[in-house]
């Protein structure tokens, strides 16, 4: 059968007006052929209703996009509405209830706001683009989906399915289905906005399918919840029946309270803790066994009895054994180990003194330094030396105060903070607790964990530490707290004020070699199942350190030696000939291509190039600074990812050099007519800090005067505009880096001289150290040729050339 295209949204041969009173409705979508009750309360809508009542009782009903809009404009209304006839009006105080019957859909062309709302509308035609067969199939599919939808939705009556099944008019069927859907207004409006019957039925079927899927999921969830509740009720009733039967038989029924009562007798709880626990036990005895509140109370009582109240380990008092423990676990670290020994000595002395306890010492140690230098193992050694239990708490990334103080008992699953958990793990009330990575805590909307740690580490407060979960006072004064951090400046100032800092600096190559010989090789031999080790030369180990690692500590070195041991184990089980010795040349075969390429090559002595020294988290490094002048407008160009502080140092250095050279007969026009470019390789690595100030000044002084700096010279120090050299930090790491690179002479601030005590003697023996206080001293040391004389000779040569040129011109 051919498709017939005709407008079937005719108004039953009745001409409806194009201008009608309009009522906006908030949460209702009216449809043609449906009777709908509407509550009218807004003054404008009541006037529109009265106007319609005076005429032909026809009114245009349009749905608002947002229910909150009190005085909707045209943009606040959906474009499709329904022309309806008023069937009944009932006035109630200030509101009016009406009953309307939808006639047809209309499109809102223009909203006219007068004393009442009027709508200029046009027909919204629904085109029939279906054949008779297609129309029947579409209607059957929609009816089947609607029937399934009604059967799954308890808010709809089965009478709706019977009503729709008896409807043969596809248009009336379509509108009746829309009007009885319990979906969002937006979805209904999309259906009403369809311009063709085919598109409308397809969208209707899609919407019904989606709603059926949602109802299936909803029924599944409700069924699971109902089943769970039924199981709990069943278990409760069975338990009550068991109790009744046991009572009749004269047997003693099981009581959970009896178990906790026996724990009260076995555990020596402080008076305040016992009182709080007994109150919770009384609550538990009157609760239903399977109620959520009883689970919270049980969890609380379990934690109360898990804490080792009154249990302490006795400290060892042999200071010689303590020193032996530290020396056995750590190589070098003379000053840190000495400070730890002083700390242990004070603990032992206070233990011997009557009436004093080790907990009276308020010292909290904070071990700072780059990764892998032995901070955690040093803390373990303190615990071993004292004979105490050791617990580590990782604070890296902690951003919730409840991680320290615990969660309030307001929900199932709440638990104490990490301090209480550490006591349970240790099994004593006086362990050594390591607060690891204390510099990496962050603050969030959950609170500031740093503030919570103040109470933990303050000896005036931690005698009565109150965990939010337990809500009883705990004495933490007998605990030894040791903190670790990579960057001291990242620790909160108030928290840092409560700790004594012990700095663990980078290891030298010789120290790493000694650690590998004394600790790492034997450790990895056992870990990889080797019975014996081949002889490994010092050159081979140093090659691993230089070409395969870039670190302050020895973690990467440990991993690489483990890789060597695995290669030896593989050779052993493969039936190969065991190696007798490992030389430097064998390292590349065992570990492959070198992974690190440190820039240790010193630049050639050319004007504008200077060598500085830098501190990094993995040790020291040399810093090559290049300066170049080109014709321009007097701009300073800085490249190499320099931070704000280093850029300011470069500007200060340029100002100093410009002032100094202007007093040494340098033409001021030079700085106006030339751009100065400073570059610090490598360009991909960010750099910052003030310690490159004198190096930047020397590079600028060199490029402008044309005099190169001394060969194998490096320097570090902050500069002021007056030419004063200020102190800097990280001297040990910087001098170690200079020594590795083959530097023979160093310029450093005199006010940093005290840090030379930390530098190994073998390094100081190979370096000539120049301690300076001003840039005049720096320039006098750094330049082998006097820049002043070169400037004077340059100016004399230029003047002579100029006079010669003029005399030749005069002769001509």
């Amino acid at each position: 059968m051919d498709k017939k295209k005709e407008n079937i949204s005719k108004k039953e041969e009745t001409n409806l007006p194009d201008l009608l009173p309009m009522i906006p409705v908030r949460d209702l979508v009216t449809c043609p052929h449906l009777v709908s009750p509407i509550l009218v309360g807004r003054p404008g809508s009541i006037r529109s209703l009265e106007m319609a009542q005076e005429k032909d009782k026809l009114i245009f009903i349009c749905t608002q996009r947002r229910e909150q809009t009190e005085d909707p404009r045209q943009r606040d209304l959906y474009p499709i509405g329904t022309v309806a006839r008023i069937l009944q009006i009932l006035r109630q105080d200030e509101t009016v209830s009406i009953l309307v019957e939808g006639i047809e859909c209309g499109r809102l062309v223009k909203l006219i706001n007068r004393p009442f709302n009027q709508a200029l509308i046009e027909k919204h035609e629904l085109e029939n683009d279906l054949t008779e067969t297609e129309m029947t199939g579409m209607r059957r599919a929609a009816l089947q989906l609607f029937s399934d939808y009604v059967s799954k939705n308890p808010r709809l009556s089965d009478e709706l399915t019977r009503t729709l099944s008896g409807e043969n008019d596809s248009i009336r069927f379509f509108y009746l289905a829309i009007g009885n859907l319990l979906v969002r207004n937006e979805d209904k409006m999309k259906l009403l906005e369809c311009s063709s019957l085919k598109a409308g039925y397809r969208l209707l079927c899609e919407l019904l399918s989606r709603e059926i899927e949602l109802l299936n999921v909803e029924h599944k969830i409700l069924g699971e919840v109902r089943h769970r509740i039924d199981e709990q009720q069943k278990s409760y009733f069975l338990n009550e029946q068991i109790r009744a039967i046991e009572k009749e038989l004269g047997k003693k029924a099981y009581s959970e309270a009896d178990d906790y009562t026996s724990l009260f007798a076995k555990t020596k709880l402080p008076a305040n803790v016992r009182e709080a626990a007994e109150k919770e036990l009384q609550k538990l005895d009157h609760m239903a066994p399977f109620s959520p509140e009883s689970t919270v109370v049980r969890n609380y009582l379990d934690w109360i009895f898990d804490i080792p109240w009154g249990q302490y380990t006795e400290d060892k008092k042999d200071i010689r054994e303590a020193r032996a423990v530290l020396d056995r676990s750590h190589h070098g670290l003379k000053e840190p180990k000495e400070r730890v020994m002083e700390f242990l000595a004070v603990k032992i002395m206070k233990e011997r003194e009557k009436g004093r306890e080790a907990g009276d010492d308020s010292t909290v140690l904070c071990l700072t330094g780059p990764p892998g230098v032995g901070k955690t193992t040093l803390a373990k050694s303190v615990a071993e030396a004292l004979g105490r239990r050791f617990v580590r708490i990782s604070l890296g990334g902690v951003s919730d105060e409840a991680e320290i103080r615990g969660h309030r008992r307001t929900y199932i699953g709440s638990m104490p903070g990490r301090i209480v958990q550490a006591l349970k793990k240790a099994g004593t009330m006086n362990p050594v607790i390591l607060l690891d990575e204390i510099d990496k805590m962050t603050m969030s909307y959950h609170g500031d964990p740093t503030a919570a740690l103040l109470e933990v580490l303050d000896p005036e407060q931690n005698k009565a530490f109150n965990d939010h979960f337990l809500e009883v006072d705990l004495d933490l004064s007998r605990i030894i707290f040791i903190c670790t951090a990579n960057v001291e400046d990242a620790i909160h100032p108030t928290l840092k004020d409560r700790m004594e800092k012990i700095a663990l600096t980078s290891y030298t190559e010789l120290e790493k070699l000694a650690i590998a010989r004394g600790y790492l090789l034997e450790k990895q031999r056992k870990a990889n199942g080797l019975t014996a080790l081949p002889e490994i030369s010092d050159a081979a180990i140093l090659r691993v350190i230089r070409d395969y690692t870039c670190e302050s500590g020895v973690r990467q070195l440990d991993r690489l030696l483990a890789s060597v041991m695995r290669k030896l184990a593989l050779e052993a089980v493969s039936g190969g000939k065991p190696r007798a010795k490992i030389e430097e040349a064998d390292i590349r075969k065992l570990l492959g291509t070198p992974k690190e390429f440190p820039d240790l090559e010193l630049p050639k002595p050319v004007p504008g190039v200077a060598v500085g020294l830098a501190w990094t988290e993995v040790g020291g490094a040399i810093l090559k600074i290049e300066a170049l002048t080109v014709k321009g407008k007097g701009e300073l160009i800085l490249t190499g990812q320099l931070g704000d502080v280093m850029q300011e140092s470069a500007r200060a250095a340029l100002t100093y050099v410009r002032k100094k050279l202007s007093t040494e007969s340098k033409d001021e026009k030079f700085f106006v007519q030339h751009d100065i470019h400073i570059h610090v390789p490598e360009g991909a690595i960010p750099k910052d800090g003030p310690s490159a100030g004198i190096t930047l000044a020397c590079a600028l002084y060199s490029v402008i005067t044309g005099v190169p700096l001394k060969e194998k010279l490096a320097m570090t120090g902050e500069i002021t505009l007056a030419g004063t050299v200020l102190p800097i930090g990280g001297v040990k790491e910087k001098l170690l880096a200079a020594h590795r690179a083959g530097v023979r002479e160093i310029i450093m601030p005199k006010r940093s001289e005290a840090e030379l005590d930390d530098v190994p003697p073998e390094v100081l023996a190979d370096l000539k150290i120049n301690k300076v206080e001003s840039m005049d001293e720096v320039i006098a040391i750094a330049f082998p040729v006097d820049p002043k004389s070169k400037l004077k000779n340059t100016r004399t040569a230029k003047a002579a050339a100029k006079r010669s040129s003029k005399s030749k011109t005069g002769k001509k």
Side-chain angles (χ1 to χ4, degrees):
M1 182 182 294
D2 296 330
K3 290 184 180 181
K4 53 181 181 179
K5 307 266 185 176
E6 63 177 355
N7 178 14
I8 62 172
S9 65
K10 293 180 180 180
K11 306 172 186 176
E12 299 177 351
E13 305 299 332
T14 303
N15 293 322
L16 296 178
D18 294 329
L19 187 63
L20 287 173
M22 191 273 291
I23 294 179
V25 292
R26 299 176 189 270
D27 56 352
L28 175 68
V29 175
T30 59
C31 296
H33 313 299
L34 259 79
V35 176
S36 305
I38 301 176
L39 187 64
V40 181
R42 286 179 279 197
S45 298
I46 293 177
R47 287 196 294 269
S48 299
L49 185 62
E50 293 171 348
M51 183 66 182
Q53 189 71 6
E54 291 174 2
K55 292 186 178 182
D56 48 10
K57 296 186 178 183
L58 293 179
I59 196 162
F60 185 66
I61 300 173
C62 207
T63 305
Q64 295 180 192
R65 294 182 184 273
R66 298 180 61 195
E67 295 182 16
Q68 297 84 353
T69 307
E70 285 296 329
D71 187 17
R73 299 289 183 263
Q74 184 167 347
R75 64 176 178 273
D76 301 320
L77 302 171
Y78 285 104
I80 302 298
T82 300
V83 178
R85 186 181 303 280
I86 302 172
L87 300 179
Q88 184 179 344
I89 297 180
L90 179 63
R91 296 184 179 273
Q92 299 174 348
D93 297 331
E94 297 181 356
T95 61
V96 179
S97 296
I98 64 173
L99 199 64
V100 298
E101 180 183 10
I103 298 175
E104 69 166 6
C105 285
R107 181 177 295 276
L108 177 62
V109 178
K110 186 176 181 181
L111 178 62
I112 303 172
N113 293 98
R114 291 180 179 178
F116 53 89
N117 294 323
Q118 283 188 303
L120 182 62
I121 63 172
E122 64 180 14
K123 297 178 182 179
H124 177 63
E125 298 181 347
L126 190 62
E127 184 182 14
N128 180 12
D129 53 353
L130 295 171
T131 64
E132 196 68 32
T133 304
E134 290 174 333
M135 188 179 298
T136 303
M138 283 282 192
R139 194 166 60 249
R140 286 181 180 178
L143 179 61
Q144 180 62 41
L145 289 169
F146 192 85
S147 175
D148 194 10
Y149 172 69
V150 170
S151 66
K152 295 179 182 297
N153 198 323
R155 292 179 291 174
L156 295 176
S157 171
D158 293 337
E159 185 66 28
L160 290 174
T161 304
R162 289 191 287 272
T163 301
L164 283 179
S165 61
E167 184 58 64
N168 295 322
D169 189 319
S170 298
I171 297 297
R172 289 177 62 86
F173 182 98
F174 182 68
Y175 285 131
L176 287 172
I178 295 173
N180 287 287
L181 286 175
L182 300 179
V183 296
R184 300 178 304 171
N185 289 344
E186 301 95 292
D187 295 328
K188 289 187 176 182
M189 293 309 302
K190 288 179 182 177
L191 289 167
L192 292 179
E193 290 172 3
C194 291
S195 58
S196 68
L197 200 58
K198 185 176 182 179
Y201 267 94
R202 283 185 175 177
L203 188 58
L204 176 62
C205 291
E206 290 175 5
L207 181 60
L208 286 169
S209 299
R210 187 191 72 188
E211 289 299 314
I212 290 169
E213 288 296 325
L214 291 175
L215 288 170
N216 286 334
V217 174
E218 182 180 341
H219 289 167
K220 180 181 178 182
I221 294 172
L222 289 174
E224 291 175 353
V225 172
R226 192 177 298 110
H227 176 72
R228 194 179 304 121
I229 293 173
D230 291 343
E231 287 292 325
Q232 290 179 354
Q233 291 177 342
K234 177 182 177 182
S235 179
Y236 173 76
F237 287 126
L238 288 175
N239 278 290
E240 290 299 317
Q241 288 176 0
I242 290 172
R243 288 183 182 181
I245 293 170
E246 289 177 340
K247 186 176 180 180
E248 288 294 326
L249 294 174
K251 294 182 179 180
K252 185 179 179 181
Y254 169 75
S255 174
E256 191 176 29
D258 292 341
D259 290 344
Y260 286 114
T261 303
S262 63
L263 288 174
F264 274 108
K266 296 176 183 177
T267 309
K268 296 180 180 180
L269 298 177
N272 63 324
V273 178
R274 178 178 290 274
E275 182 181 355
E278 287 176 346
K279 287 182 180 179
E280 294 297 323
L281 183 57
Q282 290 175 6
K283 292 180 186 177
L284 180 64
D285 203 29
H286 293 85
M287 288 180 181
F290 298 98
S291 65
E293 291 81 3
S294 65
T295 303
V296 174
V297 174
R298 279 192 213 96
N299 191 27
Y300 175 81
L301 291 173
D302 289 342
W303 271 104
I304 286 290
F305 292 111
D306 284 340
I307 296 174
W309 304 101
Q311 298 182 29
Y312 298 92
T313 55
E314 185 178 352
D315 289 348
K316 296 179 181 178
K317 300 178 178 62
D318 190 343
I319 196 68
R320 293 186 180 86
E321 183 184 348
R323 187 180 293 278
V325 169
L326 293 178
D327 290 337
R328 186 168 60 247
S329 58
H330 293 81
H331 175 84
L333 302 179
K334 180 181 177 181
E335 287 192 8
K337 286 197 290 188
E338 192 65 29
R339 178 61 190 92
V340 169
M341 290 300 300
E342 295 170 2
F343 174 78
L344 296 178
V346 172
K347 290 284 181 188
I348 293 172
M349 288 297 294
K350 287 191 174 183
E351 282 283 339
R352 291 175 180 172
E353 188 177 346
K354 288 185 178 181
R356 300 287 297 275
E357 293 182 341
D360 295 339
D361 187 12
S362 60
T363 304
V364 176
L365 299 180
C366 181
L367 309 176
T368 63
V373 295
K375 299 184 293 295
T376 303
T377 53
L378 188 60
K380 287 182 180 178
S381 299
V382 172
E384 183 182 351
L386 286 173
R388 294 196 184 191
R389 307 277 177 83
F390 176 80
V391 182
R392 174 180 170 270
I393 300 176
S394 178
L395 297 178
V398 171
S399 60
D400 188 355
E401 178 194 11
E403 291 284 341
I404 307 298
R405 285 203 177 108
H407 300 261
R408 303 258 181 209
R409 284 183 290 144
T410 54
Y411 58 92
I412 298 174
S414 57
M415 59 192 305
R418 296 198 182 191
I419 303 298
V420 175
Q421 294 178 39
L423 290 176
K424 175 186 174 183
K425 185 177 179 181
T428 65
M429 295 296 287
N430 65 336
V432 174
I433 295 182
L434 174 66
L435 303 176
D436 205 9
E437 310 291 355
I438 200 171
D439 57 328
K440 295 177 178 60
M441 291 190 297
T442 58
M443 183 173 63
S444 70
Y445 64 92
H446 292 296
D448 187 358
T450 302
L453 270 183
L454 295 177
E455 181 184 359
V456 174
L457 300 181
D458 191 338
E460 300 299 325
Q461 302 180 56
N462 65 10
K463 293 179 181 178
F465 173 73
N466 194 284
D467 187 274
H468 287 166
F469 180 84
L470 298 178
E471 295 181 336
V472 294
D473 292 340
L474 284 87
D475 184 7
L476 306 182
S477 61
R478 302 287 296 275
I479 300 172
I480 296 179
F481 290 102
I482 300 178
C483 307
T484 69
N486 294 131
V487 182
E488 182 182 333
D489 294 339
I491 305 174
H492 193 281
T494 310
L495 191 59
K496 186 162 56 175
D497 184 59
R498 284 164 167 77
M499 302 183 294
E500 180 177 343
K501 276 72 68 181
I502 299 178
L504 279 69
T505 56
S506 307
Y507 291 118
T508 66
E509 285 187 353
L510 294 179
E511 287 174 335
K512 290 181 181 180
L513 176 62
I515 292 170
R517 287 275 185 213
Y519 304 90
L520 303 182
L521 287 175
E522 182 62 20
K523 168 189 167 185
Q524 293 302 335
R525 181 193 69 78
K526 293 178 180 178
N528 291 278
L530 296 174
T531 55
L533 276 178
E535 182 183 347
I536 303 177
S537 66
D538 289 350
I541 298 176
L542 289 173
R543 178 58 56 196
V544 175
I545 294 171
R546 291 169 182 167
D547 290 358
Y548 294 87
T549 67
C550 179
E551 58 179 347
S552 296
V554 291
R555 282 182 184 164
Q556 183 64 12
L557 176 60
D558 190 27
R559 285 191 286 267
L560 290 167
L561 292 178
S563 178
V564 172
M565 297 302 154
R566 289 195 296 271
K567 295 286 194 307
L568 297 178
L570 179 61
E571 291 177 357
V573 298
S574 300
K577 184 179 179 181
R579 294 175 183 263
K581 191 173 184 180
I582 295 178
E583 297 288 356
E584 182 178 0
D586 299 324
I587 295 299
R588 190 180 182 94
K589 298 176 184 176
L590 292 169
L591 296 179
T593 306
K595 306 298 187 296
E596 302 292 339
F597 300 94
D599 187 7
L600 300 177
E601 184 179 351
L602 296 174
K604 295 180 180 179
V606 295
V609 177
V611 178
L613 298 173
W615 178 92
T616 69
E617 290 188 1
V618 295
I622 63 170
L623 198 66
K624 300 174 186 176
I625 296 179
E626 303 171 351
L628 195 64
T629 60
V630 293
K631 290 287 185 181
K633 298 179 181 179
E635 294 182 359
L636 176 62
I637 305 169
L638 301 172
T639 56
Q641 283 212 54
L642 308 187
D644 293 340
V645 177
M646 197 167 182
Q647 291 185 34
E648 291 176 359
S649 295
R651 294 187 182 96
L654 177 60
T655 302
Y656 167 79
V657 171
R658 187 170 180 175
K659 177 66 176 176
K660 182 173 180 61
L661 290 179
S662 66
T663 62
E664 296 176 358
S665 304
K666 183 67 179 177
D667 191 354
E668 184 65 24
K669 292 181 180 178
F670 175 87
F671 296 98
V672 180
Q673 298 172 352
H674 290 78
D675 290 342
I676 299 177
H677 188 162
I678 296 177
H679 178 66
V680 185
E682 299 170 353
I685 301 175
K687 311 164 192 72
D688 206 358
S691 64
I694 66 172
T695 316
L696 290 162
C698 285
L700 291 168
Y701 198 83
S702 172
V703 73
I704 294 171
T705 60
V707 180
L709 282 81
K710 276 185 186 178
E711 194 172 0
K712 296 186 178 181
L713 170 73
M715 61 191 74
T716 180
E718 183 178 353
I719 189 177
T720 68
L721 292 176
T724 305
V725 180
L726 300 181
I728 43 81
V731 172
K732 177 185 176 182
E733 287 80 4
K734 293 177 179 179
L735 265 59
L736 290 176
H739 185 259
R740 285 197 302 269
V743 172
R744 291 292 173 262
E745 190 170 358
I746 298 291
I747 299 176
M748 60 172 284
K750 184 175 179 60
R751 290 163 64 181
S752 298
E753 185 177 5
E755 293 197 35
L756 291 175
D757 296 340
D758 299 332
V759 182
E762 64 270 16
V763 174
L764 292 176
D766 290 343
L767 294 174
K768 179 182 178 182
I769 310 295
N770 299 289
K771 298 175 280 290
V772 298
E773 295 180 328
S774 68
M775 271 303 299
D776 290 337
E777 297 178 66
V778 174
I779 292 172
I781 297 169
F783 291 92
V785 178
D786 186 4
K788 293 182 181 179
S789 61
K790 178 146 188 181
L791 275 175
K792 186 176 180 180
N793 295 337
T794 303
R795 292 192 65 200
T796 303
K798 287 183 178 179
K802 189 174 182 180
R803 286 195 301 272
S804 174
S805 175
K806 286 182 178 180
S807 63
K808 290 180 181 180
T809 305
K811 289 179 181 181
K812 288 182 180 179

